[in-house]
């Protein structure tokens, strides 16, 4: 057996470079996850509501440009969008340490950076999801998503592990320089991919509103795609409530230092890595449709271990619960991403991604605000309980849909409107 066949998609030169670019970009992103709120909490002494508002600004881009982004991305090649948004995000992040060193950094500056970074991330993510089927082919989507999820999981481990000590040594603002460098190199590496996707055929009379409507009609008209989107919306809202308060809970109530917080979050990365490695096998064993709801049902309840924790050994048990959440989350995301991509015609990939993101991520900024408000009223512990219960209930839309009994990608059984190549007429 040749090395290329043993490596699978990793033996392909272009996918290997895409894989490496993903690793670098995700490493930068995971460092942001820890460092940005710590800039607010430690460097600017932000309160619970301000941290919640910062989390809301980070994801508000999905509401601002979520639906138009899909229509715009469907009109052009996807790789240039990924390259330009990576480089732009790198420049924007660099302003935080510069402003800090100049004595100009304020919480409003963080809000502005978080919002601009989030808007660019919307375009990057829509293009990223739409580009993968062109790069690997539809027959390799499960393998491609599994391998990319694996490297994202590795960076989930290494990101906090790197960020924690860096924050302790050089401070949270300076740590964001590493994030900026990772995204810049990711964008430059993507320029070396030789395989070119075909240029989308231009519409004779492009109309943004009509193109957005086609994407909405496609996703909302399919019961499985609609259920996945709604389940994600509920899960993300309560996950962000949970995550918004988690850092405050770990630092102020558990007494952990940045290095200890990084270790807890690295445990989540370990769970995500195990989920990525097991995703293909679990999907085949349980069924690709059923695993979408079953993975969440098994793992989400374990997040209650965190609000039950007390300083000491119980924090370790709570970290295991977070690792289980990540494991189940990656298994679910690999299955549903491949499911969504395989069901969607090429010319609608951007709009499918943008529509599902707009709805499922639309609750994220709301979750950030609710998390901050809930933390102010019920405290960090009460908010973590609310988040745990909400994440568990997110299985209901998928359980009550055809996914409850679906084992494999139903391409041969899908409604005709889900398989046919939509036109813009």
């Amino acid at each position: 057996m040749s090395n290329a066949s043993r490596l699978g998609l990793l033996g392909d030169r272009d996918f290997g470079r895409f894989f490496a670019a993903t690793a670098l970009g995700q490493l930068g992103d995971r460092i942001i996850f820890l460092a940005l709120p710590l800039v607010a909490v430690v460097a600017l002494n932000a309160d619970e509501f301000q941290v919640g508002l910062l989390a809301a600004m980070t994801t508000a881009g999905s509401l601002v440009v979520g639906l138009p982004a899909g229509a715009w991305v469907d009109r052009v090649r996807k790789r240039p969008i990924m390259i330009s948004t990576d480089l732009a995000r790198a420049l924007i992040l660099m302003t935080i340490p510069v402003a800090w060193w100049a004595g100009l950094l304020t919480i409003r500056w963080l809000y502005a950076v978080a919002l601009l970074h989030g808007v660019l991330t919307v375009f990057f993510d829509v293009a990223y999801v739409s580009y993968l089927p062109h790069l690997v082919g539809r027959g390799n989507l499960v393998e491609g998503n599994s391998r990319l999820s694996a490297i994202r999981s590795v960076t989930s481990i290494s990101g906090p592990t790197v960020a924690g000590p860096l924050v302790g040594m050089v401070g949270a603002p300076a740590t964001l320089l590493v994030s900026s460098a990772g995204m810049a190199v990711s964008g430059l590496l993507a320029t070396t991919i030789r395989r070119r996707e075909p240029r989308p055929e231009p519409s004779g009379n492009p109309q943004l509103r009509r193109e957005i409507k086609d994407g909405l009609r496609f996703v909302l008209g399919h019961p499985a795609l609609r259920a996945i989107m709604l389940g994600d919306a509920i899960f993300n809202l309560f996950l962000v409530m949970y995550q918004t308060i988690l850092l405050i809970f770990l630092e102020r109530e558990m007494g952990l230092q940045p290095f200890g917080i990084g270790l807890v979050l690295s445990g989540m990365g370990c769970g995500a890595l195990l989920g990525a490695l097991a995703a293909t096998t679990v999907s085949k064993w349980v069924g690709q449709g059923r695993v979408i709801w079953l993975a969440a049902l098994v793992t989400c309840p374990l997040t209650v271990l965190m609000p039950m924790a007390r300083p000491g050994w119980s924090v370790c048990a709570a970290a295991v619960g977070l690792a289980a959440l990540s494991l189940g989350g990656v298994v679910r995301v690999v299955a549903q991403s491949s499911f969504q991509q395989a069901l969607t015609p090429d010319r609608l990939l951007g709009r499918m991604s943008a529509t599902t993101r707009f709805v499922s991520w639309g609750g994220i900024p709301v979750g950030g605000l609710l998390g901050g408000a809930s933390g102010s009223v019920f405290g960090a512990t009460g908010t973590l309980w609310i988040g745990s219960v909400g994440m568990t209930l997110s299985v209901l839309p998928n359980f009550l849909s055809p996914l409850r009994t679906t084992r494999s990608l139903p391409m041969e059984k899908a409604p005709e409107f889900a398989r046919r190549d939509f036109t813009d007429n």
Side-chain angles (χ1 to χ4, degrees):
M1 181 182 294
S2 66
N3 289 334
S5 60
R6 285 196 299 268
L7 291 173
L9 283 176
L10 289 178
D12 178 82
R13 176 186 179 277
D14 284 335
F15 182 80
R17 296 192 176 194
F18 186 69
F19 181 87
T22 298
L24 290 168
Q26 287 294 311
L27 178 61
D29 188 66
R30 298 312 297 174
I31 292 175
I32 294 170
F33 177 77
L34 179 65
L36 189 60
L38 282 178
V39 172
V41 172
V42 177
L44 299 179
N45 198 30
D47 60 26
E48 286 86 350
F49 182 78
Q50 288 174 320
V51 173
L53 185 56
L54 179 63
M57 289 294 179
T58 303
T59 53
S62 295
L63 295 178
V64 175
V65 296
L67 290 176
W72 288 327
V73 167
D74 276 337
R75 295 177 181 178
V76 297
R77 291 191 173 110
K78 316 305 183 286
R79 189 176 67 100
I81 296 177
M82 294 188 293
I83 294 168
S84 58
T85 51
D86 255 346
L87 297 177
R89 289 188 297 173
L91 288 174
I92 289 170
L93 287 172
M94 194 179 297
T95 68
I96 293 178
V98 171
W100 171 253
W101 290 326
L104 300 174
L105 187 63
T106 64
I107 191 66
R108 292 182 179 179
W109 192 300
L110 289 187
Y111 292 157
V113 169
L115 179 60
L116 290 173
H117 183 275
V119 168
L120 291 168
T121 298
V122 171
F123 283 95
F124 176 88
D125 287 348
V126 170
Y128 185 91
V129 171
S130 305
Y131 183 63
L132 186 62
H134 294 289
L135 183 65
V136 304
R138 291 176 180 270
N140 296 314
L141 281 173
V142 173
E143 181 188 352
N145 280 311
S146 296
R147 293 195 181 274
L148 293 173
S149 292
I151 194 58
R152 285 194 292 266
S153 302
V154 170
T155 57
S156 293
I157 300 169
S158 57
T161 304
V162 170
L166 275 176
V167 170
M169 289 187 295
V170 303
T175 301
L176 289 172
L177 286 175
V178 178
S179 299
S180 177
M183 289 188 172
V185 177
S186 172
L188 294 174
L189 188 58
T191 64
T192 66
I193 296 175
R194 293 182 300 183
R195 187 174 305 153
R196 297 292 185 266
E197 60 186 298
R199 185 185 298 275
E201 295 183 6
S203 173
N205 183 25
Q207 294 183 7
L208 185 62
R209 180 178 297 180
R210 185 177 60 195
E211 291 169 344
I212 292 173
K213 183 178 178 182
D214 284 343
L216 286 167
R217 182 162 58 94
F218 175 74
V219 175
L220 295 176
H222 193 285
L225 296 179
R226 184 174 63 244
I228 289 172
M229 182 174 64
L230 181 58
D232 264 2
I234 297 171
F235 177 83
N236 288 335
L237 186 148
F238 287 101
L239 174 64
V240 173
M241 286 187 65
Y242 192 98
Q243 289 179 328
T244 297
I245 294 300
L246 180 60
L247 289 177
I248 293 175
F249 178 83
L250 291 173
E251 191 209 27
R252 297 179 180 173
E253 299 198 23
M254 295 296 102
L256 295 183
Q257 299 301 312
F259 181 74
I261 295 173
L263 287 179
V264 171
L265 299 181
S266 295
M268 296 179 68
C270 291
L273 177 59
L274 291 175
L277 295 175
T280 302
T281 301
V282 173
S283 293
K284 290 180 180 178
W285 179 46
V286 177
Q288 194 167 359
R290 288 189 291 194
V291 78
I292 292 173
W293 60 267
L294 190 59
L297 182 62
V298 171
T299 58
C300 285
L302 297 177
T303 56
V304 300
L305 293 173
M306 185 59 71
M308 295 173 64
R310 298 294 180 269
W313 67 269
S314 61
V315 177
C316 298
V320 172
L322 294 182
L325 175 70
S326 295
L327 188 155
V330 171
V331 169
R332 173 179 62 86
V333 167
V334 168
Q336 72 183 34
S337 295
S338 304
F339 194 102
Q340 291 167 317
Q341 289 165 335
L343 277 176
T344 306
D346 285 348
R347 65 185 296 112
L348 282 169
L349 280 167
R351 278 168 281 181
M352 179 277 295
S353 176
T355 299
T356 55
R357 182 189 175 98
F358 178 79
V359 176
S360 63
W361 285 50
I364 292 180
V366 178
L369 291 173
L370 289 177
S374 176
S376 300
V377 176
F378 301 110
T381 301
T383 301
L384 292 178
W385 274 103
I386 294 170
S388 296
V389 172
M391 285 188 283
T392 303
L393 293 177
S394 70
V395 305
L396 289 177
N398 290 320
F399 180 78
L400 298 175
S401 77
L403 295 171
R404 185 175 66 254
T405 56
T406 300
R407 288 196 56 86
S408 59
L409 292 176
M411 294 303 295
E412 72 284 355
K413 300 183 294 183
E416 182 61 24
F417 73 86
R419 297 201 311 268
R420 63 191 173 98
D421 191 9
F422 271 45
T423 66
D424 289 325
N425 296 325

